[in-house]
Amino acid sequence: MANAAWLRAVRALLSSADNVGERFADEVRRIHDGELPPRNIRGFVTLEEAQSLLEEGIDVLPLPNLPFTDGPLH
């Protein structure tokens, strides 16, 4: 039942992260720069935005669009 354990882990991750939608890149930069307090966030970015964040030294983890979520996770 590895799939069930994986789904539980993903659901736990989702429930512990604020969905900031299309503001993800701006929000994660502000957190990284200390303008906002650290917190778990999730949202949407383009491939180019994700690459830019990585080049800036901001760790992001792209995740696929999952059927039980409210949109793509990045």
Side-chain angles (χ1 to χ4, degrees):
M1 295 298 167
N3 287 340
W6 183 84
L7 287 173
R8 280 193 301 276
V10 170
R11 286 185 176 124
L13 174 68
L14 294 177
S15 68
S16 70
D18 294 332
N19 186 352
V20 296
E22 294 181 6
R23 299 185 333 265
F24 181 83
D26 292 332
E27 290 284 312
V28 77
R29 281 187 179 101
R30 292 180 69 201
I31 291 169
H32 180 76
D33 293 340
E35 296 175 27
L36 293 175
R39 71 186 199 280
N40 294 327
I41 63 171
R42 60 186 176 99
F44 314 110
V45 294
T46 64
L47 177 59
E48 293 79 19
E49 289 172 319
Q51 289 172 331
S52 179
L53 291 168
L54 291 169
E55 289 170 3
E56 294 171 38
I58 301 172
D59 293 329
V60 294
L61 176 63
L63 296 174
N65 185 10
L66 301 171
F68 56 84
T69 69
D70 55 334
L73 304 174
H74 301 292

